Amino acid sequence: MLDRLSPQAPDALLALIRLYAADSRDDKIDLGVGVYRTEDGATPVFAAIKAAEQVLVDKQESKSYLGPEGDLGFVNALMPYIFGRDATMGGRITGMQTPGGTGAVRLALALASKAGVRRVHMGVPSWPNHAQILADLGMELVAFDHANPDGTANLDAVLAAINGAGDDEAVLLHACCHNPTGIDYTDEQWAKIAEAFAASGTFPIIDAAYQGLGQGMDEDAAGMRTVLAAVPEAFVAYSCDKNFGQYRDRVGAFYVLAQDQATLDTAFSNANALARAAWSMPPDHGGAAVRIILRDPDMTKEWLGELDDMRARMRTVRDALAKAGTAGRIDLTPLGSQNGLFSMLPITKEEVATLREDHAIYMAASGRINIAGLTTANLPKFINALSAVAV
């Protein structure tokens, strides 16, 4: 039976990780892996998470099953940070825990498919797993250009997608800190996007994987909240991987906005059934730690402070890149106005290979770089290497 299978291409990022690990050069730079790094190159566990985990060690009395919805204390504690003061929008939003943001995206798309969605419009480039999940679910991806050549978001393209979508179609958007471009919609653009969703009736699916890493917790959620306030129904996929540093603990949540309680209950029952079939119940540990933090004012303050420090460091790197101006033919100034971990450089695969082979600089073949991989110490090397290669 197994001889019927066809070989699959290896994950490019995992291959890059192996190449980086095997490189013995002391001055190598990793801009490929999508994790936050401190100025000294570490990806530490948040102090607030450590404190919450100690509470779990001291006080957790059982590891019995919770059910497919997971830790609802975690799910509900997140909601004011995601949706604002009226966190349930008058009882129209409910949610469940998922295995990371990937699980949340998978559940959102699977539930959309069960509700009759066959085509999903999405700005490209995007996180590669979006397309993989859509393909696995047998849903058609309809691509539009996310960005303009000048490094701004392509409003015309997203509005055309929203206004042109049919009854069996949805539009998938990034809430903030767009992966891989770092190019976000402005508040004014979000207002027009919300108006288009409201007027067209097109169903929005919003992937919120990086809240707090762009401009701030409320600022990064503002566009999403504008859309949700304008529409009767929507899905939100949420990740705690980056803003709580919970990468390997797989901590996410899926939220449904519905027009009334009966519709919400029906949608949630279907989401539970899909989750039960897919993973039975999500891993508990990371979500429990987040719940403990968000219920303790001192831990919450510590967590938000750590998030502020992360965001400020990435902003410092972006400002330095923008100040450098150009490196070879590459204009770095747009990077200063972009947000989050990632940005895209307009370089060729051959130039990416040259940067890796000749200068020990590792990045995705697409030109995506992880801003947090740059530091005060290695920025000059990066800019000089880019100047030498991208001529």
Side-chain angles (χ1 to χ4, degrees):
M1 180 185 73
L2 298 181
D3 60 2
R4 303 171 192 166
L5 297 174
S6 300
Q8 299 295 300
D11 186 282
L13 188 56
L14 294 180
L16 192 67
I17 291 171
R18 289 192 289 269
L19 287 172
Y20 178 82
D23 193 327
S24 61
R25 288 172 285 187
D26 292 335
D27 61 345
K28 61 184 179 181
I29 301 174
D30 180 9
L31 304 180
V33 181
V35 300
Y36 174 77
R37 288 198 171 94
T38 62
E39 180 70 15
D40 59 4
T43 304
V45 179
F46 280 33
I49 289 290
K50 285 280 194 182
E53 288 177 324
Q54 189 60 55
V55 172
L56 285 172
V57 169
D58 295 341
K59 296 184 178 181
Q60 189 175 50
E61 297 179 348
S62 176
K63 290 188 179 291
S64 183
Y65 295 119
L66 292 177
E69 69 273 13
D71 185 339
L72 290 180
F74 153 76
V75 172
N76 294 332
L78 273 176
M79 290 178 70
Y81 294 91
I82 303 171
F83 304 113
R85 290 186 178 181
D86 183 11
T88 68
M89 294 185 64
R92 294 173 54 216
I93 298 178
T94 193
M96 60 192 302
Q97 187 181 351
T98 60
T102 302
V105 171
R106 172 80 188 204
L107 187 54
L109 292 172
L111 185 56
S113 177
K114 194 170 184 181
V117 172
R118 298 291 173 261
R119 308 172 80 209
V120 176
H121 299 256
M122 182 178 74
V124 293
S126 188
W127 179 51
N129 227 9
H130 283 146
Q132 292 178 191
I133 293 170
L134 286 167
D136 191 53
L137 289 168
M139 303 173 79
E140 181 182 352
L141 167 61
V142 183
F144 61 87
D145 290 332
H146 171 68
N148 294 309
D150 64 359
T152 59
N154 190 333
L155 180 64
D156 291 339
V158 68
L159 291 181
I162 295 169
N163 291 325
D167 292 341
D168 62 346
E169 301 177 20
V171 174
L172 172 62
L173 299 178
H174 299 230
C176 65
C177 304
H178 186 272
N179 178 6
T181 68
I183 299 170
D184 290 338
Y185 298 112
T186 65
D187 290 344
E188 294 76 14
Q189 288 174 326
W190 274 115
K192 293 179 180 179
I193 289 168
E195 290 173 3
F197 274 121
S200 66
T202 298
F203 190 85
I205 301 173
I206 301 177
D207 186 0
Y210 303 96
Q211 187 188 8
L213 273 67
Q215 299 293 328
M217 287 294 289
D218 284 327
E219 293 86 346
D220 289 351
M224 172 176 60
R225 293 173 187 173
T226 299
V227 170
L228 297 178
V231 299
E233 300 176 330
F235 292 161
V236 174
Y238 194 85
S239 174
C240 295
D241 285 7
K242 307 300 191 297
N243 59 5
F244 283 90
Q246 296 275 67
Y247 305 96
R248 68 177 68 166
D249 283 348
R250 313 311 301 140
V251 185
F254 169 61
Y255 294 95
V256 178
L257 169 70
Q259 56 189 346
D260 55 53
Q261 188 65 55
T263 305
L264 187 61
D265 290 345
T266 298
F268 196 61
S269 71
N270 279 268
N272 264 312
L274 289 167
R276 175 67 170 156
W279 50 71
S280 185
M281 66 163 286
D284 176 65
H285 179 83
V290 171
R291 167 176 47 79
I292 289 168
I293 290 171
L294 297 181
R295 287 181 173 177
D296 184 292
D298 291 334
M299 288 188 189
T300 298
K301 182 179 179 181
E302 183 173 34
W303 162 62
L304 289 172
E306 292 179 281
L307 195 56
D308 288 346
D309 290 343
M310 291 169 59
R311 186 171 61 251
R313 196 187 94 69
M314 289 188 289
R315 185 56 56 191
T316 297
V317 171
R318 288 189 176 280
D319 289 346
L321 288 167
K323 186 177 180 180
T326 58
R329 71 171 192 281
I330 307 300
D331 181 10
L332 297 174
T333 55
L335 277 66
S337 60
Q338 296 165 8
N339 294 310
L341 281 173
F342 305 115
S343 283
M344 291 280 288
L345 299 179
I347 58 178
T348 66
K349 292 181 179 180
E350 292 75 19
E351 290 166 337
V352 169
T354 300
L355 285 168
R356 181 176 67 248
E357 294 162 3
D358 295 353
H359 301 276
I361 296 173
Y362 288 75
M363 68 178 71
S366 63
R368 188 194 83 166
I369 62 170
N370 177 6
I371 293 296
L374 294 169
T375 67
T376 303
N378 67 25
L379 256 172
K381 169 186 166 69
F382 171 71
I383 294 171
N384 289 337
L386 194 58
S387 297
V389 173
V391 294

